[in-house]
Amino acid sequence: MHYLNIINNEKCECGKIHSAQIDECIVEKNAVNMLPDVLKKYGCKKAFIVADLNTYKAAGERVCAVLNVGNIPYSKHIFATTDLEPNETAVGSVIMHFDKKCDIVIGVGSGVINDISKILANVTDRKYIIIATAPSMDGYASATSSVTRDGLKISLNSKCANVVIGDTDILTNAPLHMLKSGLGDMLAKYVSICEWRISNIITGEYYCEKVAALIREALKKCVENADKLLDRDETAVQAVFEGLVLGGVAMNFAGLSRPASGVEHYFSHIWDMRGEEFKTPVDLHGIQCAIGTLMALKIYEKVKLVTPDKNKATAYVKNFSYEEWKGTLKSFLGKAADAMIEIEEKEQKYSVEKHSERFDIIADNWNKILKIINEELPPSKEIENLLDKIDAPKSPSQINIDEKDNSTAFKATKDIRDKYVLSRLAWDLGVIEEII
């Protein structure tokens, strides 16, 4: 696609030479029919197909038929479930069933199948092609897999797809809930770019305006066509799918997940971790990200009313009991809390000294931070109206998640990664309790 070469391998003003690991993205009608030519280009002799019961029916049967016509041999592993989880069990199963005679992995699916297949391709050192069955998440062109390990939602380094194939005949027929999920994952980019810029000021984290601009452009196209999504309009669906692929490309360009995810993704991760530990309700990642985005926008609107007060912030930090908070994390998240506590042992973000340093930077740059928030974030009401138009959930309660846990979930988002997000800013300002 055109954007693969916009800044690929160029010396950028940010100081990096950007490169995407993906070779090609094919998005058009009957794109699956191009699979034999793609395999021949890579010199592949036998393919290993990974799918589940849903994705095999949606596109896997067609993939096998195309390979049969092309006289290309293949083996396959079809997970015998319609509710597959990306965890140790699933990854172990696909690795144990892998046919070593196969020289390429073909994932047929969306989020979960893609995450598992990328790990398989990485472990077996094989080329990888993903046949997308829905424009539902932004991991198609990323080199990481979002998986649950020991109960904690983590991002594992895996393998970026060599080729992403998006057959619009398949994509437009994806379940409507998955189409909404894809748009929800794109809406998250408002917050991710905003927080990337804010972190650049407060922590000195690397930032690239060219990469951010690519995401903004794709997001704009998705929002402009959102009204037509429920009609399965090809332009609207393609805009979402290409935007999601670009999200993965942007992460490759930047070398980190910042262009595509922020605190809104962490809400989703928290809900997923609770689902894994306590069997509480969960929904599609993009649906949860859309809700997390709306929640974040509303909290940012409160943050904009804050005037940094060092005495107030310092008093809050000195009275903060990390031991008490560790107990809350353990009861709220179960075993997933252990890995989060381990991260803090290395990071020490709660130390009074580190907080003081960050607060001074925040106070000195508060007007710049407010300017970024105003530039990057739409009014929460605007996103609320958009979600109404596509009949998508707007609150945790609409996906059967208990609203009484919203406060703890938000506070827990600051512990998932070593990454500066909204909840950390609110904690540094000493206002995290009052704004939620």
Side-chain angles (χ1 to χ4, degrees):
M1 301 184 67
H2 70 281
Y3 50 70
L4 293 181
N5 295 314
I6 288 178
I7 55 177
N8 199 9
N9 294 317
E10 293 180 5
K11 180 74 173 182
C12 182
E13 294 171 2
C14 73
K16 284 194 176 188
I17 296 177
H18 297 295
S19 62
Q21 297 176 41
I22 181 175
D23 297 329
E24 189 175 8
C25 181
I26 304 168
V27 188
E28 58 185 69
K29 282 182 177 294
N30 297 313
V32 168
N33 294 343
M34 301 175 67
L35 185 56
D37 290 335
V38 173
L39 293 177
K40 288 173 184 175
K41 183 168 68 175
Y42 285 107
C44 295
K45 305 298 183 184
K46 187 177 183 181
F48 187 77
I49 299 169
V50 182
D52 63 20
L53 293 179
N54 282 333
T55 65
Y56 187 70
K57 183 178 180 180
E61 292 174 346
R62 186 172 164 192
V63 167
C64 291
V66 167
L67 295 181
N68 287 334
V69 170
N71 293 314
I72 298 171
Y74 57 87
S75 293
K76 60 188 178 184
H77 179 58
I78 313 302
F79 287 98
T81 179
T82 58
D83 190 26
L84 186 63
E85 292 294 328
N87 53 26
E88 299 98 329
T89 301
V91 171
S93 175
V94 76
I95 290 173
M96 290 179 71
H97 284 90
F98 180 70
D99 180 352
K100 293 182 180 179
K101 294 178 181 178
C102 296
D103 49 14
I104 193 164
V105 174
I106 300 176
V108 180
S110 56
V112 175
I113 288 293
N114 187 46
D115 283 329
I116 293 170
S117 299
K118 283 191 288 186
I119 295 174
L120 175 65
N122 187 49
V123 169
T124 59
D125 194 26
R126 299 304 199 265
K127 298 287 186 182
Y128 176 51
I129 297 172
I130 177 66
I131 310 292
T133 54
S136 55
M137 53 86 222
D138 64 2
Y140 284 118
S142 77
T144 60
S145 291
S146 181
V147 295
T148 302
R149 185 182 68 189
D150 297 330
L152 179 66
K153 200 74 174 183
I154 63 168
S155 290
L156 275 183
N157 289 329
S158 52
K159 180 180 178 66
C160 179
N162 296 94
V163 181
V164 176
I165 295 180
D167 190 316
T168 54
D169 287 334
I170 295 171
L171 296 175
T172 54
N173 283 299
L176 281 177
H177 200 56
M178 298 189 84
L179 299 183
K180 296 174 188 179
S181 176
L183 181 60
D185 208 337
M186 284 303 299
L187 294 177
K189 283 31 173 182
Y190 284 120
V191 176
S192 65
I193 296 299
C194 177
E195 292 184 338
W196 195 14
R197 292 179 65 187
I198 290 173
S199 182
N200 174 250
I201 289 175
I202 297 173
T203 71
E205 181 181 347
Y206 159 80
Y207 171 76
C208 178
E209 176 55 30
K210 281 190 177 181
V211 173
L214 289 177
I215 293 293
R216 290 191 200 100
E217 180 184 350
L219 175 55
K220 182 173 181 288
K221 189 175 179 182
C222 289
V223 171
E224 287 174 348
N225 288 280
D227 287 352
K228 298 178 284 187
L229 196 64
L230 293 186
D231 298 326
R232 301 183 182 278
D233 176 82
E234 188 173 329
T235 300
V237 173
Q238 188 164 336
V240 171
F241 182 71
E242 291 185 351
L244 293 169
V245 174
L246 179 55
V249 172
M251 286 188 274
N252 281 329
F253 280 153
L256 68 172
S257 64
R258 273 294 189 184
S261 71
V263 73
E264 76 299 320
H265 271 62
Y266 289 179
F267 273 118
S268 180
H269 291 341
I270 292 292
W271 296 327
D272 286 344
M273 285 187 279
R274 282 180 55 76
E276 179 81 11
E277 181 73 15
F278 304 114
K279 308 307 176 188
T280 52
V282 293
D283 209 307
L284 293 178
H285 172 70
I287 296 293
Q288 294 182 166
C289 285
I291 295 170
T293 296
L294 185 56
M295 292 170 70
L297 293 177
K298 291 179 177 180
I299 297 171
Y300 268 112
E301 287 169 352
K302 293 182 179 181
V303 167
K304 285 163 60 175
L305 302 176
V306 172
T307 299
D309 182 332
K310 187 160 189 176
N311 290 332
K312 177 180 178 178
T314 301
Y316 173 78
V317 169
K318 287 183 176 178
N319 289 323
F320 176 77
S321 169
Y322 181 56
E323 288 303 313
E324 186 177 317
W325 175 239
K326 281 198 296 186
T328 300
L329 282 177
K330 288 180 178 180
S331 62
F332 189 61
L333 295 173
K335 61 180 178 291
D338 294 338
M340 297 164 78
I341 292 167
E342 188 177 324
I343 291 171
E344 174 56 19
E345 288 177 359
K346 298 175 183 176
E347 188 184 1
Q348 296 292 304
K349 64 179 173 291
Y350 293 121
S351 78
V352 174
E353 294 77 14
K354 287 191 175 184
H355 167 262
S356 180
E357 293 172 4
R358 289 195 305 269
F359 185 90
D360 288 342
I361 296 171
I362 292 168
D364 290 344
N365 292 278
W366 189 240
N367 287 335
K368 290 182 181 178
I369 292 170
L370 291 179
K371 186 172 183 289
I372 289 170
I373 294 172
N374 287 323
E375 286 176 350
E376 299 291 353
L377 301 183
S380 61
K381 191 64 180 174
E382 186 178 306
I383 298 305
E384 218 169 343
N385 290 339
L386 188 154
L387 293 176
D388 277 335
K389 286 180 182 178
I390 65 168
D391 192 27
K394 297 181 296 183
S395 67
S397 62
Q398 288 180 282
I399 56 173
N400 299 312
I401 292 173
D402 199 331
E403 296 273 356
K404 72 176 174 55
D405 294 323
N406 287 355
S407 174
T408 306
F410 176 64
K411 287 186 281 189
T413 61
K414 64 186 172 359
D415 293 273
I416 292 182
R417 306 271 194 280
D418 178 7
K419 190 170 174 180
Y420 203 86
V421 294
L422 170 59
S423 47
R424 293 195 178 199
L425 176 62
W427 191 87
D428 280 346
L429 289 167
V431 299
I432 192 167
E433 303 291 344
E434 62 195 65
I435 64 173
I436 54 175

